[in-house]
Amino acid sequence: MSVARRYHTASTLANGYVLVVGGFAGASSLNSAELYNPSTGTWTTTGRMSIARGYATASTLANGLVLVAGGANETGYLNSAELYNPSTGTWATTGSMSITRYQHTTSTLANGSVLVAGGSNSAYLNSAELYDPSTGTWAITGSMNTARMYHTASTLANGSVLVAGGYNGVTYVNSAELYNPSTGAWTTTGSMSVTRMNHGASTLANGYVLVIGGVSTNGVYGNSTELYNPSTDTWTTTGSMSITRDYSTASTLANGLVLVAGGYNGASYLNSAELYNPSTGAWTSTATMSTFRAYHTASTLTNGKVLLTGGSDGGTLNSAELYQSI
Ligand SMILES: *[C@@H]1O[C@H](CO)[C@@H](O)[C@H](O)[C@H]1NC(C)=O
Ligand SMILES: *[C@@H]1O[C@H](CO)[C@@H](O)[C@H](O)[C@H]1NC(C)=O
Ligand SMILES: *[C@@H]1O[C@H](CO)[C@@H](O)[C@H](O)[C@H]1NC(C)=O
Ligand SMILES: *[C@@H]1O[C@H](CO)[C@@H](O)[C@H](O)[C@H]1NC(C)=O
């Protein structure tokens, strides 16, 4: 990439390109954006956001635009949102959220609206809001039962959104809850066996959700993983990773395996990667990245490769690398 970045976003566009946006270089927030062309393996600079931000979220909408919302910069937390238009390479301001948020999650619902949940703006948030792409406006929806930041959000096959874990300002959380788009309400579901924040989550081909690692109560870094079964609303522990990780990425591959790459274990940035096999519940090591990375992004390309970008090895990285499964 032309710019080193961590805590940025990466979004796969309808044409297969990957849009990388914002983040921080060291302590400086970025408004720049760049595009990865998977056919040439090269990056080009594209339009800049009006506001520099990291810890934001990015959602590719059904109309092809990319919604970037919230986050933080040196001045403070943000409620503003901007839309990237891939045909013009430019940004336009759209409606702002009702409050500032960073370290929140976004999920695109089946009807095209985008659900934003939780995060923090120095207060810890349980509120949620919906962005309607047809009007460019936000509306408050039901609040979660628990405030959470550093949580995960995964869309289930039936359209509900599962949020799991995080930090509520007092304790690390093992609870999980479901957002039902037809009622706009949250319901508590089964709890994970372990509290986790900065963990990873990936939806499997069979509809289960795999959560991995993260930091648990008393700052313990985890190697444990568990599976959410949407038909029973319960979690079961599955195989442990070979090492503890937080801020790693988790990507479901076309072959059904889950690739977990990099992260941080409380002492070191990681370059190792491992694969979860849903049929055996076991992990195996796979090729190591060329660079130690946490706070990076992972995007599955239309050709099946996974693009890993930027992040931190202590400093801020501008390198990118591709994982190809065998
Ligand atoms: C940071 O966000 C504030 C809005 O809260 C904005 O006024 C300011 O321009 C942003 N900083 C940069 C460098 O974009
Ligand atoms: C999508 O569903 C949500 C949740 O029910 C609803 O509030 C919203 O208005 C719907 N959006 C559109 C664009 O129909
Ligand atoms: C989806 O499945 C979950 C888990 O069984 C259930 O609690 C939820 O109500 C379902 N959502 C919808 C929209 O049917
Ligand atoms: C995972 O961590 C636990 C302690 O937290 C340790 O006992 C166990 O050996 C580790 N498992 C692996 C596969 O490294």
Side-chain angles (χ1 to χ4, degrees):
M1 298 183 288
S2 66
V3 174
R5 31 182 112 233
R6 56 183 176 184
Y7 305 115
H8 52 301
T9 62
S11 307
T12 305
L13 306 179
N15 64 6
Y17 284 48
V18 177
L19 174 72
V20 163
V21 177
F24 285 85
S28 303
S29 62
L30 301 167
N31 64 358
S32 65
E34 37 194 316
L35 284 171
Y36 178 77
N37 177 339
S39 332
T40 59
T42 54
W43 293 91
T44 48
T45 298
T46 184
R48 287 175 183 273
M49 294 185 289
S50 69
I51 294 193
R53 56 181 94 220
Y55 307 112
T57 51
S59 310
T60 303
L61 307 177
N63 61 12
L65 307 184
V66 178
L67 174 72
V68 170
N73 69 21
E74 295 86 336
T75 312
Y77 306 112
L78 302 170
N79 63 350
S80 66
E82 320 191 24
L83 285 173
Y84 177 77
N85 184 336
S87 339
T88 58
T90 57
W91 293 86
T93 298
T94 184
S96 289
M97 297 183 290
S98 70
I99 48 170
T100 60
R101 313 174 178 262
Y102 86 115
Q103 294 283 12
H104 50 296
T105 56
T106 48
S107 309
T108 303
L109 305 180
N111 72 0
S113 284
V114 177
L115 174 72
V116 162
S120 167
N121 60 15
S122 74
Y124 295 85
L125 304 172
N126 66 350
S127 67
E129 336 191 10
L130 286 170
Y131 178 79
D132 182 342
S134 57
T135 59
T137 57
W138 294 87
I140 302 287
T141 184
S143 287
M144 297 186 290
N145 298 294
T146 302
R148 357 182 144 238
M149 70 186 299
Y150 307 125
H151 55 298
T152 54
S154 309
T155 303
L156 305 181
N158 70 1
S160 282
V161 176
L162 174 74
V163 298
Y167 179 67
N168 67 10
V170 181
T171 56
Y172 298 56
V173 171
N174 66 349
S175 71
E177 41 193 312
L178 288 169
Y179 179 78
N180 185 330
S182 30
T183 60
W186 294 88
T187 324
T188 299
T189 183
S191 288
M192 299 183 291
S193 67
V194 176
T195 60
R196 304 176 187 271
M197 70 166 201
N198 293 333
H199 48 300
S202 203
T203 304
L204 307 181
N206 63 7
Y208 285 47
V209 177
L210 176 71
V211 298
I212 59 126
V215 183
S216 194
T217 308
N218 302 326
V220 174
Y221 286 72
N223 59 9
S224 76
T225 75
E226 33 195 319
L227 282 174
Y228 179 76
N229 179 341
S231 16
T232 59
D233 293 337
T234 55
W235 295 88
T236 47
T237 299
T238 181
S240 288
M241 298 184 291
S242 67
I243 50 171
T244 62
R245 304 174 186 267
D246 84 340
Y247 269 117
S248 53
T249 52
S251 311
T252 301
L253 306 176
N255 61 12
L257 304 185
V258 178
L259 172 71
V260 165
Y264 183 73
N265 67 7
S268 310
Y269 293 88
L270 305 172
N271 63 354
S272 66
E274 40 193 315
L275 291 170
Y276 177 75
N277 184 337
S279 358
T280 60
W283 291 86
T284 48
S285 292
T286 185
T288 295
M289 295 189 290
S290 64
T291 305
F292 300 92
R293 296 178 197 273
Y295 325 128
H296 53 301
T297 64
S299 306
T300 303
L301 306 179
T302 44
N303 62 15
K305 294 179 187 174
V306 178
L307 175 71
L308 300 129
T309 79
S312 179
D313 61 356
T316 310
L317 301 166
N318 69 351
S319 65
E321 47 191 305
L322 286 171
Y323 176 80
Q324 174 155 32
S325 46
I326 298 159

